[in-house]
């Protein structure tokens, strides 16, 4: 009897830990940003089931003009969406992951044209908006209730590039915070630059040029989106016009290029339109999309020792204009949004080889252009 009591006493901490340990979520909310010029009405929310890769409709919010890019707050309680248009704006919403319900809070003008990207810091102090057509980066303070205060800083770029119909002026396309959020990087497709700013959330202004204020890409390549490696040692930049990915070492706000890979096949000519770039949850593979006459997802293996990329596979997006895609937290699925064919496909992904295989499910959504995923609970 004494031995039995001793065993129970020894197991008690283990059992308590097992009971208290939070299981990894297996259901998620898939948020879909769209252009509302076609059949779409605004932002859509679907439940995503990790076990099967299937989806189910949850909710939507209408009367949101062109919410072409979204970001979700670090506590998953708020969503921010750009309103892409000549008189650009950014909107805030409350968000309830359990039901997928969105409720409008407020809206602020971005003081620029065609905002196409929005990002929030983890401390939920500021959001950053890329005004594409007018070529500026806007900063907005975030209040505790999720609402946005008026613009606190506007960085206006200037310059041109050699591709006259695409680079007649600056076109800011994205913003990304470094892993420790001490720096913010933003791309300018029109001037072939990736700009680097020092970030101090509580200072005014919050952004100031870094000691290395920018890196330039090959003229005419048109930098678009970036992604950091999971260990934060490398940064990868996709270039929309040139169809290339540049790899850089990253160290405390300093970039050094180590590689450039061409994503294209000999058949891909004319309007390329390379778009999204993501890294798998385990950090072993990088994926990027081509639009134009390519319409595919290209996979690369990441060398853990030096960050260099090696080609793995090329997979059709089964639609036109794969503007965005995401990989679910388990790494078992890749979800791609085809803007110009109104479709979203869920691909099964091999976590060992990185290759995409068969289609698990499909959604028909008008002009889908942004995908975000958060835990459902």
């Amino acid at each position: 009897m004494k031995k039995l009591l001793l065993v129970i006493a020894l197991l008690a901490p283990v059992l308590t830990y097992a009971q208290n340990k939070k299981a990894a979520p297996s259901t998620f909310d898939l948020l879909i940003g769209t252009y509302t010029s076609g059949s779409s009405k605004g932002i859509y929310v679907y439940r995503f089931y990790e076990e099967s890769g299937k989806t189910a409709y949850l909710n939507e919010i209408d009367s949101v003009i062109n919410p072409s890019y979204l970001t979700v707050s670090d506590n998953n309680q708020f969503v921010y969406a750009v309103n892409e248009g000549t008189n650009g704006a950014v909107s805030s919403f409350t968000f309830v992951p359990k039901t997928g319900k969105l409720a409008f809070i407020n809206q602020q003008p971005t003081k620029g044209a065609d905002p196409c990207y929005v990002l929030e810091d983890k401390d939920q102090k500021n959001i950053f908006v890329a005004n594409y057509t007018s070529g500026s980066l806007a900063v907005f303070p975030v209040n505790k209730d999720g609402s946005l205060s008026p613009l606190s800083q506007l960085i206006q770029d200037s310059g041109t590039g050699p591709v006259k119909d695409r680079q007649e002026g600056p076109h800011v396309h994205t913003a990304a915070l470094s892993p420790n959020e001490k720096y913010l990087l933003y791309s300018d497709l029109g001037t072939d630059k990736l700009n680097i700013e020092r970030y101090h959330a509580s200072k005014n202004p919050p952004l100031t040029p870094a000691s290395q204020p920018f890196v330039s890409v090959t003229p005419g390549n048109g930098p678009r989106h970036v992604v950091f490696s999971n260990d934060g040692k490398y940064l990868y930049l996709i270039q929309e016009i040139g169809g290339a990915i540049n790899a850089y070492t990253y160290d405390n706000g300093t970039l050094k290029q180590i590689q450039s890979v061409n994503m294209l096949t000999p058949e891909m000519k004319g309007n390329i339109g390379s778009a999204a770039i993501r890294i798998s949850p385990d950090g072993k593979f990088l994926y990027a999309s081509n639009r134009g006459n390519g319409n595919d997802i290209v996979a690369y293996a990441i060398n853990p020792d030096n960050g260099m990329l090696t080609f793995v596979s090329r997979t059709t997006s089964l639609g036109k204009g794969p503007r965005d895609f995401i990989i679910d937290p388990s790494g078992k699925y890749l979800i791609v949004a085809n803007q110009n064919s109104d479709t979203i496909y869920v691909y099964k992904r091999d976590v060992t080889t990185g290759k995409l295989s068969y289609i698990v499910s499909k959604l028909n959504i008008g002009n889908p252009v942004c995908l975000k995923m958060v835990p459902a609970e």
Side-chain angles (χ1 to χ4, degrees):
M1 186 64 179
K2 290 182 179 180
K3 289 183 178 181
L4 178 60
L5 292 173
L6 177 62
V7 171
I8 293 173
L10 291 172
L11 286 176
V14 178
L15 293 171
T16 302
Y17 171 78
Q19 290 170 351
N20 292 335
K21 186 180 178 182
K22 190 175 181 180
S26 59
T27 57
F28 299 86
D29 287 347
L30 175 65
L31 291 90
I32 305 167
T34 68
Y35 283 113
T36 52
S37 56
S39 61
S40 170
K41 297 179 180 178
I43 303 171
Y44 296 83
V45 185
Y46 279 74
R47 182 61 40 85
F48 178 81
Y49 299 94
E50 180 186 289
E51 184 177 348
S52 64
K54 303 293 185 181
T55 61
Y57 173 83
L58 274 186
N59 228 314
E60 66 186 78
I61 186 165
D62 300 343
S63 304
V64 183
I65 298 173
N66 290 338
S68 62
Y69 208 86
L70 315 173
T71 193
V72 184
S73 63
D74 194 60
N75 63 7
N76 296 333
Q77 293 180 8
F78 305 102
V79 171
Y80 301 94
V82 297
N83 303 113
E84 189 170 337
T86 304
N87 298 310
V90 58
S91 299
S92 60
F93 305 85
T94 58
F95 179 59
V96 181
K98 188 173 183 179
T99 62
K101 183 179 179 180
L102 290 157
F104 178 77
I105 304 175
N106 78 329
Q107 185 182 82
Q108 295 288 351
T110 63
K111 306 296 184 181
D114 299 314
C116 64
Y117 200 95
V118 59
L119 169 75
E120 185 181 34
D121 62 4
K122 290 181 181 177
D123 290 336
Q124 300 174 216
K125 299 292 186 182
N126 293 287
I127 69 163
F128 310 91
V129 177
N131 288 312
Y132 178 80
T133 299
S134 55
S136 61
L137 182 75
V139 185
F140 298 84
V142 179
N143 302 312
K144 289 184 178 180
D145 64 356
S147 63
L148 298 174
S149 291
L151 179 146
S152 64
Q153 185 177 7
L154 185 70
I155 300 175
Q156 179 62 57
D157 276 3
S158 61
T160 60
V163 184
K164 298 306 179 185
D165 61 334
R166 296 294 313 279
Q167 297 181 308
E168 76 294 343
H171 294 306
V172 176
H173 218 312
T174 194
L177 286 160
S178 62
N180 62 8
E181 301 207 335
K182 292 183 178 181
Y183 293 88
L184 181 136
L185 299 86
Y186 72 94
S187 64
D188 191 327
L189 180 146
T191 63
D192 288 315
K193 290 180 179 179
L194 179 62
N195 300 285
I196 309 169
E197 300 281 329
R198 191 73 167 87
Y199 177 50
H200 295 280
S202 58
K203 288 189 176 182
N204 186 21
L207 297 176
T208 53
S211 55
Q212 182 189 28
F214 64 87
V215 293
S216 295
V217 304
T218 300
N221 266 15
R224 182 179 169 95
H225 285 189
V226 299
V227 64
F228 280 94
S229 61
N230 289 12
D231 60 11
K233 295 180 180 179
Y234 305 99
L235 179 133
Y236 302 92
L237 167 66
I238 190 169
Q239 295 157 87
E240 178 173 336
I241 302 173
I245 298 173
N246 285 0
Y248 302 85
T249 58
Y250 175 79
D251 182 20
N252 198 32
T254 301
L255 295 171
K256 182 179 179 181
Q257 186 173 333
I258 56 174
Q259 185 186 24
S260 184
V261 296
N262 189 330
M263 295 172 58
L264 311 180
T265 66
E267 296 75 28
M268 293 182 184
K269 297 177 182 179
N271 181 21
I272 303 304
S274 299
I277 185 167
R278 309 281 188 192
I279 288 178
S280 59
D282 61 11
K284 295 181 179 180
F285 297 94
L286 179 145
Y287 299 81
S289 66
N290 289 308
R291 294 172 293 177
N293 62 359
N295 296 309
D296 58 18
I297 308 292
V298 187
Y300 297 90
I302 301 174
N303 187 317
D305 297 323
N306 58 23
M308 304 281 272
L309 302 176
T310 303
F311 176 82
V312 171
S313 64
R314 184 183 301 274
T315 307
T316 175
S317 72
L318 293 175
K320 296 179 180 180
R323 182 164 172 145
D324 199 14
F325 64 88
I326 56 171
I327 302 168
D328 83 297
S330 74
K332 295 189 296 184
Y333 305 97
L334 184 145
I335 308 166
V336 59
N338 291 303
Q339 174 186 349
N340 299 326
S341 52
D342 300 340
T343 54
I344 295 175
Y345 287 101
V346 180
Y347 285 80
K348 191 73 172 67
R349 176 181 172 271
D350 189 312
V351 297
T352 303
T353 67
K355 294 181 179 180
L356 307 182
S357 55
Y358 57 90
I359 300 300
V360 177
S361 58
K362 174 187 177 183
L363 289 173
N364 293 303
I365 299 287
N367 296 318
V369 289
C370 178
L371 302 174
K372 295 293 179 180
M373 186 175 285
V374 298
E377 298 291 342

PDB file of all heavy atoms in Angstrom, residues 94-121:
ATOM      1  N   THR A  94     -12.992  44.740 -34.497  1.00  0.00           N
ATOM      2  CA  THR A  94     -12.862  43.727 -33.459  1.00  0.00           C
ATOM      3  C   THR A  94     -13.041  42.369 -34.110  1.00  0.00           C
ATOM      4  O   THR A  94     -13.701  42.237 -35.149  1.00  0.00           O
ATOM      5  CB  THR A  94     -13.914  43.901 -32.356  1.00  0.00           C
ATOM      6  OG1 THR A  94     -15.225  43.828 -32.942  1.00  0.00           O
ATOM      7  CG2 THR A  94     -13.735  45.230 -31.640  1.00  0.00           C
ATOM      8  N   PHE A  95     -12.446  41.343 -33.497  1.00  0.00           N
ATOM      9  CA  PHE A  95     -12.499  40.006 -34.068  1.00  0.00           C
ATOM     10  C   PHE A  95     -12.687  38.981 -32.963  1.00  0.00           C
ATOM     11  O   PHE A  95     -12.008  39.029 -31.929  1.00  0.00           O
ATOM     12  CB  PHE A  95     -11.216  39.711 -34.844  1.00  0.00           C
ATOM     13  CG  PHE A  95     -11.171  38.341 -35.462  1.00  0.00           C
ATOM     14  CD1 PHE A  95     -12.143  37.944 -36.371  1.00  0.00           C
ATOM     15  CD2 PHE A  95     -10.163  37.446 -35.141  1.00  0.00           C
ATOM     16  CE1 PHE A  95     -12.111  36.684 -36.948  1.00  0.00           C
ATOM     17  CE2 PHE A  95     -10.116  36.184 -35.711  1.00  0.00           C
ATOM     18  CZ  PHE A  95     -11.086  35.807 -36.614  1.00  0.00           C
ATOM     19  N   VAL A  96     -13.621  38.054 -33.174  1.00  0.00           N
ATOM     20  CA  VAL A  96     -13.874  36.967 -32.220  1.00  0.00           C
ATOM     21  C   VAL A  96     -13.526  35.650 -32.917  1.00  0.00           C
ATOM     22  O   VAL A  96     -14.300  35.157 -33.758  1.00  0.00           O
ATOM     23  CB  VAL A  96     -15.341  36.950 -31.762  1.00  0.00           C
ATOM     24  CG1 VAL A  96     -15.559  35.828 -30.742  1.00  0.00           C
ATOM     25  CG2 VAL A  96     -15.750  38.289 -31.186  1.00  0.00           C
ATOM     26  N   PRO A  97     -12.355  35.062 -32.622  1.00  0.00           N
ATOM     27  CA  PRO A  97     -11.933  33.849 -33.323  1.00  0.00           C
ATOM     28  C   PRO A  97     -12.930  32.694 -33.232  1.00  0.00           C
ATOM     29  O   PRO A  97     -13.087  31.932 -34.188  1.00  0.00           O
ATOM     30  CB  PRO A  97     -10.605  33.493 -32.641  1.00  0.00           C
ATOM     31  CG  PRO A  97     -10.085  34.798 -32.141  1.00  0.00           C
ATOM     32  CD  PRO A  97     -11.303  35.560 -31.711  1.00  0.00           C
ATOM     33  N   LYS A  98     -13.603  32.550 -32.109  1.00  0.00           N
ATOM     34  CA  LYS A  98     -14.513  31.415 -31.929  1.00  0.00           C
ATOM     35  C   LYS A  98     -15.642  31.424 -32.947  1.00  0.00           C
ATOM     36  O   LYS A  98     -16.055  30.372 -33.457  1.00  0.00           O
ATOM     37  CB  LYS A  98     -15.074  31.423 -30.507  1.00  0.00           C
ATOM     38  CG  LYS A  98     -15.878  30.171 -30.167  1.00  0.00           C
ATOM     39  CD  LYS A  98     -16.265  30.168 -28.704  1.00  0.00           C
ATOM     40  CE  LYS A  98     -17.005  28.888 -28.333  1.00  0.00           C
ATOM     41  NZ  LYS A  98     -17.363  28.856 -26.899  1.00  0.00           N
ATOM     42  N   THR A  99     -16.148  32.608 -33.263  1.00  0.00           N
ATOM     43  CA  THR A  99     -17.278  32.710 -34.189  1.00  0.00           C
ATOM     44  C   THR A  99     -16.881  33.286 -35.544  1.00  0.00           C
ATOM     45  O   THR A  99     -17.663  33.232 -36.493  1.00  0.00           O
ATOM     46  CB  THR A  99     -18.372  33.616 -33.591  1.00  0.00           C
ATOM     47  OG1 THR A  99     -17.841  34.939 -33.400  1.00  0.00           O
ATOM     48  CG2 THR A  99     -18.847  33.060 -32.255  1.00  0.00           C
ATOM     49  N   GLY A 100     -15.673  33.884 -35.612  1.00  0.00           N
ATOM     50  CA  GLY A 100     -15.255  34.527 -36.847  1.00  0.00           C
ATOM     51  C   GLY A 100     -15.916  35.864 -37.082  1.00  0.00           C
ATOM     52  O   GLY A 100     -15.828  36.423 -38.180  1.00  0.00           O
ATOM     53  N   LYS A 101     -16.545  36.430 -36.063  1.00  0.00           N
ATOM     54  CA  LYS A 101     -17.287  37.684 -36.236  1.00  0.00           C
ATOM     55  C   LYS A 101     -16.347  38.878 -36.236  1.00  0.00           C
ATOM     56  O   LYS A 101     -15.482  39.022 -35.368  1.00  0.00           O
ATOM     57  CB  LYS A 101     -18.326  37.854 -35.127  1.00  0.00           C
ATOM     58  CG  LYS A 101     -19.181  39.100 -35.302  1.00  0.00           C
ATOM     59  CD  LYS A 101     -20.221  39.224 -34.199  1.00  0.00           C
ATOM     60  CE  LYS A 101     -21.051  40.490 -34.380  1.00  0.00           C
ATOM     61  NZ  LYS A 101     -22.068  40.644 -33.315  1.00  0.00           N
ATOM     62  N   LEU A 102     -16.565  39.766 -37.221  1.00  0.00           N
ATOM     63  CA  LEU A 102     -15.842  41.019 -37.334  1.00  0.00           C
ATOM     64  C   LEU A 102     -16.814  42.176 -37.119  1.00  0.00           C
ATOM     65  O   LEU A 102     -17.942  42.134 -37.608  1.00  0.00           O
ATOM     66  CB  LEU A 102     -15.199  41.155 -38.707  1.00  0.00           C
ATOM     67  CG  LEU A 102     -14.023  40.229 -39.019  1.00  0.00           C
ATOM     68  CD1 LEU A 102     -13.857  40.070 -40.519  1.00  0.00           C
ATOM     69  CD2 LEU A 102     -12.742  40.781 -38.398  1.00  0.00           C
ATOM     70  N   ALA A 103     -16.373  43.208 -36.393  1.00  0.00           N
ATOM     71  CA  ALA A 103     -17.210  44.393 -36.186  1.00  0.00           C
ATOM     72  C   ALA A 103     -16.352  45.638 -36.393  1.00  0.00           C
ATOM     73  O   ALA A 103     -15.259  45.756 -35.808  1.00  0.00           O
ATOM     74  CB  ALA A 103     -17.819  44.390 -34.784  1.00  0.00           C
ATOM     75  N   PHE A 104     -16.829  46.543 -37.197  1.00  0.00           N
ATOM     76  CA  PHE A 104     -16.088  47.752 -37.544  1.00  0.00           C
ATOM     77  C   PHE A 104     -15.877  48.640 -36.322  1.00  0.00           C
ATOM     78  O   PHE A 104     -16.785  48.831 -35.510  1.00  0.00           O
ATOM     79  CB  PHE A 104     -16.853  48.530 -38.622  1.00  0.00           C
ATOM     80  CG  PHE A 104     -16.216  49.832 -39.031  1.00  0.00           C
ATOM     81  CD1 PHE A 104     -15.121  49.852 -39.867  1.00  0.00           C
ATOM     82  CD2 PHE A 104     -16.730  51.029 -38.563  1.00  0.00           C
ATOM     83  CE1 PHE A 104     -14.543  51.045 -40.246  1.00  0.00           C
ATOM     84  CE2 PHE A 104     -16.159  52.243 -38.940  1.00  0.00           C
ATOM     85  CZ  PHE A 104     -15.055  52.251 -39.784  1.00  0.00           C
ATOM     86  N   ILE A 105     -14.644  49.187 -36.182  1.00  0.00           N
ATOM     87  CA  ILE A 105     -14.345  50.139 -35.100  1.00  0.00           C
ATOM     88  C   ILE A 105     -14.224  51.545 -35.666  1.00  0.00           C
ATOM     89  O   ILE A 105     -15.021  52.420 -35.378  1.00  0.00           O
ATOM     90  CB  ILE A 105     -13.048  49.755 -34.354  1.00  0.00           C
ATOM     91  CG1 ILE A 105     -13.109  48.335 -33.806  1.00  0.00           C
ATOM     92  CG2 ILE A 105     -12.795  50.754 -33.221  1.00  0.00           C
ATOM     93  CD1 ILE A 105     -11.810  47.879 -33.165  1.00  0.00           C
ATOM     94  N   ASN A 106     -13.181  51.755 -36.482  1.00  0.00           N
ATOM     95  CA  ASN A 106     -13.014  53.078 -37.081  1.00  0.00           C
ATOM     96  C   ASN A 106     -12.100  52.993 -38.299  1.00  0.00           C
ATOM     97  O   ASN A 106     -11.586  51.914 -38.640  1.00  0.00           O
ATOM     98  CB  ASN A 106     -12.488  54.097 -36.065  1.00  0.00           C
ATOM     99  CG  ASN A 106     -10.997  53.985 -35.799  1.00  0.00           C
ATOM    100  OD1 ASN A 106     -10.433  52.888 -35.868  1.00  0.00           O
ATOM    101  ND2 ASN A 106     -10.355  55.101 -35.487  1.00  0.00           N
ATOM    102  N   GLN A 107     -11.910  54.125 -38.947  1.00  0.00           N
ATOM    103  CA  GLN A 107     -11.127  54.191 -40.172  1.00  0.00           C
ATOM    104  C   GLN A 107     -10.326  55.488 -40.188  1.00  0.00           C
ATOM    105  O   GLN A 107     -10.789  56.509 -39.683  1.00  0.00           O
ATOM    106  CB  GLN A 107     -12.061  54.130 -41.388  1.00  0.00           C
ATOM    107  CG  GLN A 107     -11.366  54.074 -42.737  1.00  0.00           C
ATOM    108  CD  GLN A 107     -12.365  54.055 -43.890  1.00  0.00           C
ATOM    109  OE1 GLN A 107     -12.873  55.103 -44.296  1.00  0.00           O
ATOM    110  NE2 GLN A 107     -12.669  52.862 -44.386  1.00  0.00           N
ATOM    111  N   GLN A 108      -9.114  55.418 -40.766  1.00  0.00           N
ATOM    112  CA  GLN A 108      -8.286  56.602 -40.913  1.00  0.00           C
ATOM    113  C   GLN A 108      -7.779  56.705 -42.346  1.00  0.00           C
ATOM    114  O   GLN A 108      -7.471  55.682 -42.972  1.00  0.00           O
ATOM    115  CB  GLN A 108      -7.075  56.551 -39.960  1.00  0.00           C
ATOM    116  CG  GLN A 108      -7.397  56.590 -38.485  1.00  0.00           C
ATOM    117  CD  GLN A 108      -7.887  57.961 -38.021  1.00  0.00           C
ATOM    118  OE1 GLN A 108      -7.841  58.938 -38.770  1.00  0.00           O
ATOM    119  NE2 GLN A 108      -8.351  58.036 -36.782  1.00  0.00           N
ATOM    120  N   PRO A 109      -7.681  57.930 -42.893  1.00  0.00           N
ATOM    121  CA  PRO A 109      -7.085  58.093 -44.219  1.00  0.00           C
ATOM    122  C   PRO A 109      -5.584  57.828 -44.156  1.00  0.00           C
ATOM    123  O   PRO A 109      -4.922  58.183 -43.169  1.00  0.00           O
ATOM    124  CB  PRO A 109      -7.381  59.549 -44.562  1.00  0.00           C
ATOM    125  CG  PRO A 109      -7.540  60.234 -43.240  1.00  0.00           C
ATOM    126  CD  PRO A 109      -8.149  59.216 -42.319  1.00  0.00           C
ATOM    127  N   THR A 110      -5.030  57.219 -45.208  1.00  0.00           N
ATOM    128  CA  THR A 110      -3.601  56.889 -45.222  1.00  0.00           C
ATOM    129  C   THR A 110      -2.755  57.986 -45.842  1.00  0.00           C
ATOM    130  O   THR A 110      -1.534  57.837 -45.934  1.00  0.00           O
ATOM    131  CB  THR A 110      -3.353  55.574 -45.976  1.00  0.00           C
ATOM    132  OG1 THR A 110      -3.743  55.727 -47.348  1.00  0.00           O
ATOM    133  CG2 THR A 110      -4.120  54.423 -45.343  1.00  0.00           C
ATOM    134  N   LYS A 111      -3.393  59.059 -46.270  1.00  0.00           N
ATOM    135  CA  LYS A 111      -2.691  60.184 -46.890  1.00  0.00           C
ATOM    136  C   LYS A 111      -1.890  59.744 -48.111  1.00  0.00           C
ATOM    137  O   LYS A 111      -0.798  60.259 -48.392  1.00  0.00           O
ATOM    138  CB  LYS A 111      -1.755  60.884 -45.880  1.00  0.00           C
ATOM    139  CG  LYS A 111      -2.427  61.319 -44.594  1.00  0.00           C
ATOM    140  CD  LYS A 111      -3.490  62.375 -44.830  1.00  0.00           C
ATOM    141  CE  LYS A 111      -4.077  62.870 -43.514  1.00  0.00           C
ATOM    142  NZ  LYS A 111      -5.139  63.881 -43.690  1.00  0.00           N
ATOM    143  N   GLY A 112      -2.437  58.769 -48.824  1.00  0.00           N
ATOM    144  CA  GLY A 112      -1.788  58.273 -50.028  1.00  0.00           C
ATOM    145  C   GLY A 112      -2.766  57.489 -50.867  1.00  0.00           C
ATOM    146  O   GLY A 112      -3.914  57.249 -50.471  1.00  0.00           O
ATOM    147  N   ALA A 113      -2.295  57.047 -52.033  1.00  0.00           N
ATOM    148  CA  ALA A 113      -3.156  56.337 -52.974  1.00  0.00           C
ATOM    149  C   ALA A 113      -2.849  54.847 -52.997  1.00  0.00           C
ATOM    150  O   ALA A 113      -1.690  54.438 -52.961  1.00  0.00           O
ATOM    151  CB  ALA A 113      -2.993  56.916 -54.380  1.00  0.00           C
ATOM    152  N   ASP A 114      -3.911  54.046 -53.037  1.00  0.00           N
ATOM    153  CA  ASP A 114      -3.843  52.595 -53.202  1.00  0.00           C
ATOM    154  C   ASP A 114      -2.979  51.889 -52.154  1.00  0.00           C
ATOM    155  O   ASP A 114      -2.001  51.204 -52.487  1.00  0.00           O
ATOM    156  CB  ASP A 114      -3.354  52.243 -54.609  1.00  0.00           C
ATOM    157  CG  ASP A 114      -4.282  52.760 -55.687  1.00  0.00           C
ATOM    158  OD1 ASP A 114      -5.506  52.582 -55.539  1.00  0.00           O
ATOM    159  OD2 ASP A 114      -3.795  53.362 -56.664  1.00  0.00           O
ATOM    160  N   PRO A 115      -3.330  52.010 -50.878  1.00  0.00           N
ATOM    161  CA  PRO A 115      -2.612  51.242 -49.860  1.00  0.00           C
ATOM    162  C   PRO A 115      -2.787  49.744 -50.120  1.00  0.00           C
ATOM    163  O   PRO A 115      -3.893  49.282 -50.368  1.00  0.00           O
ATOM    164  CB  PRO A 115      -3.276  51.672 -48.548  1.00  0.00           C
ATOM    165  CG  PRO A 115      -4.636  52.161 -48.956  1.00  0.00           C
ATOM    166  CD  PRO A 115      -4.450  52.784 -50.304  1.00  0.00           C
ATOM    167  N   CYS A 116      -1.677  48.999 -50.066  1.00  0.00           N
ATOM    168  CA  CYS A 116      -1.712  47.593 -50.468  1.00  0.00           C
ATOM    169  C   CYS A 116      -1.158  46.652 -49.416  1.00  0.00           C
ATOM    170  O   CYS A 116      -1.148  45.434 -49.625  1.00  0.00           O
ATOM    171  CB  CYS A 116      -0.957  47.405 -51.781  1.00  0.00           C
ATOM    172  SG  CYS A 116       0.807  47.788 -51.654  1.00  0.00           S
ATOM    173  N   TYR A 117      -0.690  47.175 -48.287  1.00  0.00           N
ATOM    174  CA  TYR A 117      -0.093  46.312 -47.261  1.00  0.00           C
ATOM    175  C   TYR A 117      -0.261  46.970 -45.896  1.00  0.00           C
ATOM    176  O   TYR A 117      -0.157  48.194 -45.772  1.00  0.00           O
ATOM    177  CB  TYR A 117       1.400  46.097 -47.543  1.00  0.00           C
ATOM    178  CG  TYR A 117       1.997  44.893 -46.854  1.00  0.00           C
ATOM    179  CD1 TYR A 117       2.087  43.669 -47.511  1.00  0.00           C
ATOM    180  CD2 TYR A 117       2.465  44.977 -45.549  1.00  0.00           C
ATOM    181  CE1 TYR A 117       2.636  42.559 -46.869  1.00  0.00           C
ATOM    182  CE2 TYR A 117       3.009  43.871 -44.910  1.00  0.00           C
ATOM    183  CZ  TYR A 117       3.093  42.665 -45.578  1.00  0.00           C
ATOM    184  OH  TYR A 117       3.625  41.562 -44.949  1.00  0.00           O
ATOM    185  N   VAL A 118      -0.515  46.147 -44.868  1.00  0.00           N
ATOM    186  CA  VAL A 118      -0.644  46.650 -43.505  1.00  0.00           C
ATOM    187  C   VAL A 118       0.012  45.658 -42.553  1.00  0.00           C
ATOM    188  O   VAL A 118      -0.063  44.442 -42.741  1.00  0.00           O
ATOM    189  CB  VAL A 118      -2.128  46.895 -43.127  1.00  0.00           C
ATOM    190  CG1 VAL A 118      -2.957  45.618 -43.241  1.00  0.00           C
ATOM    191  CG2 VAL A 118      -2.251  47.490 -41.732  1.00  0.00           C
ATOM    192  N   LEU A 119       0.662  46.202 -41.528  1.00  0.00           N
ATOM    193  CA  LEU A 119       1.409  45.401 -40.559  1.00  0.00           C
ATOM    194  C   LEU A 119       1.293  46.056 -39.191  1.00  0.00           C
ATOM    195  O   LEU A 119       1.289  47.286 -39.085  1.00  0.00           O
ATOM    196  CB  LEU A 119       2.888  45.343 -40.984  1.00  0.00           C
ATOM    197  CG  LEU A 119       3.894  44.767 -39.989  1.00  0.00           C
ATOM    198  CD1 LEU A 119       3.762  43.244 -39.935  1.00  0.00           C
ATOM    199  CD2 LEU A 119       5.313  45.159 -40.384  1.00  0.00           C
ATOM    200  N   GLU A 120       1.203  45.235 -38.133  1.00  0.00           N
ATOM    201  CA  GLU A 120       1.191  45.758 -36.764  1.00  0.00           C
ATOM    202  C   GLU A 120       2.335  45.156 -35.974  1.00  0.00           C
ATOM    203  O   GLU A 120       2.696  43.984 -36.174  1.00  0.00           O
ATOM    204  CB  GLU A 120      -0.133  45.440 -36.058  1.00  0.00           C
ATOM    205  CG  GLU A 120      -0.224  46.080 -34.674  1.00  0.00           C
ATOM    206  CD  GLU A 120      -1.511  45.760 -33.930  1.00  0.00           C
ATOM    207  OE1 GLU A 120      -2.031  44.639 -34.087  1.00  0.00           O
ATOM    208  OE2 GLU A 120      -2.000  46.627 -33.190  1.00  0.00           O
ATOM    209  N   ASP A 121       2.929  45.945 -35.060  1.00  0.00           N
ATOM    210  CA  ASP A 121       3.962  45.378 -34.200  1.00  0.00           C
ATOM    211  C   ASP A 121       3.335  44.477 -33.132  1.00  0.00           C
ATOM    212  O   ASP A 121       2.135  44.538 -32.873  1.00  0.00           O
ATOM    213  CB  ASP A 121       4.817  46.483 -33.582  1.00  0.00           C
ATOM    214  CG  ASP A 121       4.026  47.435 -32.692  1.00  0.00           C
ATOM    215  OD1 ASP A 121       2.818  47.206 -32.478  1.00  0.00           O
ATOM    216  OD2 ASP A 121       4.612  48.421 -32.214  1.00  0.00           O
TER     217      ASP A 121
END
